[in-house]
Amino acid sequence: MELDVQPLLLGPGDGETTTDRPERTLRILCDFEQVIISWFRYEPGEEGPEPHIHRQHSDAFYVLGGEVDFGLGPDVTRITGGPGTFVAAPPNVVHTFKNSSDATATFLNIHAPSMGFGDVLRGRGREHFDQFDPPEDGSRPLGDAVCQRAGEGERVEHETTSHLIKAELPELSFFEMTFEPEFEGVDPHIHEDHVDAFLVLEGEVDFVLGNEVRRADAASFFAAPPGARHGFANPGPGPLRVLNFHAPDRGFAGRLRS
C-alpha cells in the first residue's frame, strides 16, 4: 500500500469544533469509516440524548474529568463514573448519559464504526443515522454493556510496559497503556484493515507520521487510518501513559496478551 495516507496529529484543544455553547462543547478528533472519536464538555445539569439503541455499531465513552451519569440496559440502570471510567454499549444495548454532578465533566465519545455520526454532530440531520428508540420487546441485558471504572480491566504486564484492557469488542478494543523509558518503541508499520489511535495522558511521545517523527505531549491526539505508516517511542525521562483505540479490534487484544 502506497504512503498516500497520512496519520493525524492534534495538539491539546485541537480538532473540529461542531458545538461550543456555555453548557457544552463538542469537538471531533477523528472521523473515519471505522471510528469517530469526539471530545465532549458537559456543564452541570447538561443532559445527553434520551435512552436509545444502535443496531449496527458500538457507542463508548471514557471519562477524562468530573463525573458522567450513564444509563444502561433495559431498565436504564444508572451508573456514575469519574476519571478513568470506560463504558461501552454494544449494538442493541440501551444507553444514555448526562452530567448530574455540580462540576464540569469532560469525556471522550467513540462510535465504531462511525455510521455517519460526524454528520449528526455537524448538524446535517440524523434521519439516516443508526439510532432508534428502545424496542418494546426488550433489548440486550445490562450485563452485555461494558463498565470499567478507574483501575479496572484486564491487566497485562511485561518488563517495560503495563496495560489495562478496558474493552475487547469486535468493533472496538480500548486500552490504557503505560510505557517505561526503557521501552524499545514500536517500529513504523501499517495496518491495512483498522484504525490505530492514541490520546496522550501523561509524558511525551515521539510519533512516526509517514516519513517524519514528531514529538507530542499530554492531551495530544494521534490517529493512523488504514494504510498510514506510523509508530511511536517514549523519549523519557518518565513513563508514557496513553489511551489506545483499535477499530475494529482485529485480534489486537489477543496479541497484547502474548
Side-chain angles (χ1 to χ4, degrees):
M1 190 174 292
E2 295 183 4
L3 295 179
D4 55 355
V5 180
Q6 293 295 315
L8 168 72
L9 179 60
L10 301 176
D14 290 344
E16 179 187 351
T17 300
T18 60
T19 299
D20 193 12
R21 302 195 297 266
E23 64 272 20
R24 69 167 68 179
T25 297
L26 280 58
R27 183 179 302 128
I28 297 173
L29 302 181
C30 71
D31 186 3
F32 304 117
E33 178 183 350
Q34 297 83 359
V35 66
I36 178 171
I37 303 172
S38 305
W39 181 91
F40 282 27
R41 172 188 60 84
Y42 268 30
E43 292 303 316
E46 186 68 1
E47 298 196 6
E50 293 293 320
H52 61 280
I53 64 168
H54 305 299
R55 295 173 180 168
Q56 301 180 63
H57 76 281
S58 289
D59 191 1
F61 307 82
Y62 184 87
V63 182
L64 296 168
E67 290 185 342
V68 179
D69 181 359
F70 299 99
L72 295 167
D75 298 324
V76 196
T77 302
R78 307 311 305 194
I79 298 172
T80 300
T85 298
F86 177 86
V87 168
N92 295 304
V93 171
V94 174
H95 58 288
T96 184
F97 58 94
K98 60 184 177 180
N99 181 0
S100 299
S101 74
D102 58 1
T104 300
T106 57
F107 54 98
L108 300 178
N109 181 219
I110 307 117
H111 288 251
S114 61
M115 302 298 294
F117 185 62
D119 286 340
V120 175
L121 293 181
R122 297 179 181 102
R124 298 173 184 168
R126 59 176 64 240
E127 60 272 14
H128 301 298
F129 180 55
D130 175 37
Q131 180 167 315
F132 304 91
D133 292 334
E136 294 182 2
D137 58 353
S139 60
R140 293 175 64 176
L142 173 63
D144 286 353
V146 177
C147 182
Q148 301 279 4
R149 289 187 168 86
E152 295 180 342
E154 179 185 350
R155 188 167 294 279
V156 179
E157 302 272 3
H158 296 292
E159 185 176 354
T160 59
T161 63
S162 176
H163 306 319
L164 275 179
I165 301 174
K166 304 288 273 187
E168 184 180 5
L169 301 169
E171 305 87 2
L172 172 73
S173 55
F174 185 87
F175 314 88
E176 290 182 4
M177 294 182 156
T178 300
F179 302 92
E180 298 299 329
E182 297 79 14
F183 176 66
E184 63 184 8
V186 175
D187 291 334
H189 60 285
I190 290 172
H191 302 301
E192 295 186 358
D193 57 0
H194 70 276
V195 173
D196 191 3
F198 301 81
L199 181 74
V200 183
L201 297 176
E202 178 186 342
E204 291 187 323
V205 55
D206 286 340
F207 282 122
V208 176
L209 290 84
N211 291 316
E212 65 172 317
V213 177
R214 293 173 59 184
R215 183 157 296 182
D217 53 13
S220 297
F221 178 81
F222 176 90
R229 184 176 187 266
H230 64 288
F232 67 93
N234 178 5
L240 166 66
R241 293 183 59 239
V242 300
L243 302 178
N244 181 220
F245 318 70
H246 283 248
D249 170 57
R250 292 293 191 257
F252 180 75
R255 294 194 297 274
L256 190 67
R257 296 184 181 100
S258 61

